[in-house]
Amino acid sequence: MPWSKLKKLAISLPIAVAATLTLVVINELGFRHSLEALNQVEQTQSLRNSVTQLLQSMLDAETGHRGYLLTGDERYLEPYEQAISTVNTNLDQLRTLVVNSNADLSEFAQLSRQISRKLSEMDLSLRLRRDGNEDAWKFVLSTDVGLENMQAVRQHAKQIIAYSATEMNKDQSKIRQSLLLSRLGISAISAIGLLAFYMYLRQTTALQKANEHQQASLEAERARLEGLVRARTESLSELASHLQQVREDERGHLARELHDELGALLTAAKLDVARLKSRMTAEGPEVAERLKHLTETLNGVIALKRRIIEDLRPSSLSNLGLTAALEILTREFADRASLDVQINIEQVTLPEPTQLTVYRMVQESLNNIVKYAGAKQVLVTVHNYPTHVAVQIRDDGGGFDLASVRRSAHGLLGMRHRVEAAGGRLTVESKLNEGTVVSAIIPVMPAAPALTDAAI
């Protein structure tokens, strides 16, 4: 690009930026000025409303007062007393508004004195009426003192209202002036900014054409890199599936070895102990006690062997089906961990690899609950739908922050990979002190790369 175009571009861009900044400054100043005036209008309106409420309370008090004097009915005193309480509250509010504004404090002071006189006059006649002094309260009622006090209250209130109207007109005038100045300033700066922006667009057209070729090259390179990443991801996914399969094969092999070799040894040892026990006489109680203890130890080892084999290779899954296998798994888990485990498991029809995926997901979730959750109650649900199966494990434990989960959390990664390999989707929801929910949606049709347990 010629140097002259670059120079023009370097000039037009700062002009546009400066015009924009000036526009922002003018708009901000106008906004603050208008906001200040609006606050004044709001304060003035509050002052006016407070005066109006005060007058209304005085009228309510006078109405209730006269009603009681004329009828002697105590029911008129309830609105009278409520109005007196409201008058005091309104006076406090009005005093605060007057202090915070530029209103005449002397006018408020006179208003307050007149209200006090009016209240005193009503209180005097009320006490005379209650004391049964008929002539006295009728005399007070027949005088013009109450009327004069009330007229004085209205007069001072009108003065404050007139002041609020004047102030409101001033504030509205300030707002109009601010809007007018902002409008003129924004129009002028906008024109300058548009001119500079037009110059900038003309100069950037050449740059855009020069960048199109470079952008095309970048798109081609990005497509190539995306292809490499996709191929590498597929390769890693296949490797992960292979490793999962190898793990299942090893677990199956180890389970067979434990069942065949160790099971045979333990059974033989138990039979030998039984033979020795049958040949013992009553003269060797200590030896008999030792043999009994040895028998109990062998039974415990055999039970441990069975549990280890079931963890390695769930024989109940292949022999009894997924529903029975999950019921056995949750019952044994509840016994070992001393937890309240509730289940709601429907009969489902799934391929064997997918059944193994569901079983391993529930098994890993229960193990995580024991290790980390500190839960008291667990709910395991499996629901069957026409196109998919929904699996959920919910606990009331301490939960955790999903954002703080380390990338090396292999338990969750393993579950996620198993479910995704079966064509499903795994979600984990958890909050601190609110428990954890692990959910999976797995399609009924088997996925091509799903894990199998064929070696078991």
Side-chain angles (χ1 to χ4, degrees):
M1 181 178 290
W3 172 253
S4 59
K5 292 184 178 181
L6 289 175
K7 187 176 181 180
K8 291 180 180 178
L9 182 61
I11 294 175
S12 60
L13 182 58
I15 293 176
V17 173
T20 302
L21 293 177
T22 305
L23 179 62
V24 171
V25 171
I26 292 176
N27 186 47
E28 182 65 21
L29 292 176
F31 170 76
R32 292 184 179 182
H33 192 228
S34 299
L35 183 61
E36 182 180 355
L38 285 174
N39 290 334
Q40 292 294 332
V41 170
E42 183 179 356
Q43 187 175 4
T44 304
Q45 185 64 36
S46 299
L47 178 64
R48 187 170 186 173
N49 292 338
S50 180
V51 174
T52 303
Q53 293 175 0
L54 179 61
L55 287 176
Q56 184 62 45
S57 298
M58 289 296 298
L59 290 175
D60 293 341
E62 188 178 32
T63 302
H65 172 263
R66 288 186 176 273
Y68 174 73
L69 291 180
L70 294 175
T71 63
D73 191 347
E74 292 288 339
R75 290 179 297 175
Y76 285 98
L77 291 181
E78 182 177 353
Y80 167 77
E81 292 174 353
Q82 291 179 353
I84 292 299
S85 176
T86 305
V87 167
N88 295 327
T89 303
N90 292 336
L91 273 176
D92 293 337
Q93 294 176 352
L94 182 59
R95 182 183 296 105
T96 302
L97 293 173
V98 170
V99 171
N100 294 332
S101 64
N102 296 324
D104 190 356
L105 292 175
S106 62
E107 194 70 35
F108 171 77
Q110 294 179 10
L111 174 63
S112 180
R113 285 195 297 270
Q114 291 298 331
I115 290 176
S116 298
R117 292 174 182 173
K118 180 60 179 176
L119 295 179
S120 299
E121 177 260 329
M122 289 191 293
D123 183 65
L124 175 61
S125 57
L126 181 63
R127 284 189 286 106
L128 294 174
R129 179 70 169 84
R130 285 177 172 175
D131 294 340
N133 197 339
E134 297 290 332
D135 296 333
W137 71 262
K138 289 181 179 180
F139 174 77
V140 173
L141 187 64
S142 63
T143 62
D144 294 334
V145 175
L147 178 61
E148 292 175 354
N149 289 334
M150 199 62 191
Q151 289 178 347
V153 169
R154 291 193 183 94
Q155 183 63 31
H156 292 300
K158 288 181 179 179
Q159 293 295 330
I160 297 177
I161 292 175
Y163 162 79
S164 64
T166 303
E167 291 297 318
M168 187 174 296
N169 292 332
K170 291 180 181 179
D171 294 333
Q172 290 176 350
S173 177
K174 290 180 181 179
I175 293 174
R176 286 192 292 269
Q177 292 177 2
S178 177
L179 292 175
L180 179 60
L181 291 176
S182 298
R183 182 179 182 183
L184 294 176
I186 290 173
S187 298
I189 298 301
S190 297
I192 297 174
L194 288 175
L195 178 61
F197 187 66
Y198 171 74
M199 295 172 59
Y200 174 75
L201 288 179
R202 288 190 57 186
Q203 301 303 323
T204 53
T205 302
L207 287 176
Q208 183 178 2
K209 292 180 179 179
N211 289 335
E212 288 178 355
H213 178 69
Q214 184 179 5
Q215 186 67 25
S217 300
L218 292 175
E219 289 292 337
E221 182 66 16
R222 184 173 65 180
R224 185 182 70 85
L225 293 175
E226 287 179 351
L228 291 176
V229 171
R230 191 180 303 109
R232 182 62 60 85
T233 302
E234 292 176 356
S235 176
L236 291 176
S237 179
E238 292 176 359
L239 176 60
S241 299
H242 174 70
L243 293 177
Q244 290 279 10
Q245 182 61 54
V246 170
R247 181 187 179 190
E248 291 296 333
D249 293 342
E250 290 295 332
R251 295 174 75 164
H253 175 72
L254 181 58
R256 286 195 303 272
E257 291 294 328
L258 289 173
H259 181 270
D260 297 339
E261 301 296 334
L262 183 59
L265 293 174
L266 290 173
T267 302
K270 190 175 180 180
L271 290 174
D272 290 340
V273 172
R275 291 192 193 99
L276 291 174
K277 189 175 180 180
S278 64
R279 296 180 182 179
M280 290 295 301
T281 62
E283 298 177 355
E286 182 178 355
V287 176
E289 183 68 24
R290 293 284 184 178
L291 289 176
K292 179 180 179 183
H293 178 71
L294 181 58
T295 302
E296 293 175 353
T297 302
L298 287 173
N299 290 333
V301 174
I302 292 173
L304 177 61
K305 180 210 65 169
R306 290 174 180 172
R307 187 167 69 249
I308 294 174
I309 290 175
E310 282 301 314
D311 289 340
L312 292 173
R313 182 188 67 180
S315 60
S316 59
L317 183 63
S318 57
N319 296 329
L320 303 176
L322 179 61
T323 301
L326 291 179
E327 290 176 351
I328 295 172
L329 175 65
T330 53
R331 182 172 63 252
E332 293 179 350
F333 170 80
D335 294 338
R336 291 200 307 267
S338 299
L339 294 179
D340 180 14
V341 181
Q342 302 293 329
I343 60 173
N344 184 7
I345 302 176
E346 299 177 356
Q347 291 288 342
V348 296
T349 302
L350 293 173
E352 290 185 4
T354 308
Q355 291 185 20
L356 179 61
T357 297
V358 175
Y359 184 89
R360 292 300 189 198
M361 171 189 166
V362 175
Q363 186 182 43
E364 182 66 25
S365 298
L366 294 177
N367 290 334
N368 289 337
I369 290 172
V370 172
K371 293 179 182 178
Y372 311 112
K376 296 181 179 179
Q377 293 183 339
V378 181
L379 175 62
V380 179
T381 60
V382 178
H383 294 298
N384 189 26
Y385 297 94
T387 59
H388 66 275
V389 172
V391 184
Q392 186 178 91
I393 302 94
R394 179 187 298 270
D395 67 79
D396 62 351
F400 58 93
D401 185 6
L402 292 174
S404 63
V405 176
R406 297 177 297 176
R407 299 179 64 87
S408 60
H410 301 297
L412 289 176
L413 292 177
M415 282 193 292
R416 189 179 302 279
H417 177 74
R418 281 181 179 272
V419 173
E420 291 178 353
R425 178 170 55 88
L426 179 76
T427 58
V428 180
E429 301 176 5
S430 183
K431 291 183 180 180
L432 291 175
N433 302 319
E434 295 185 14
T436 302
V437 179
V438 179
S439 305
I441 302 297
I442 302 176
V444 175
M445 295 299 295
L451 298 176
T452 65
D453 201 19
I456 297 179

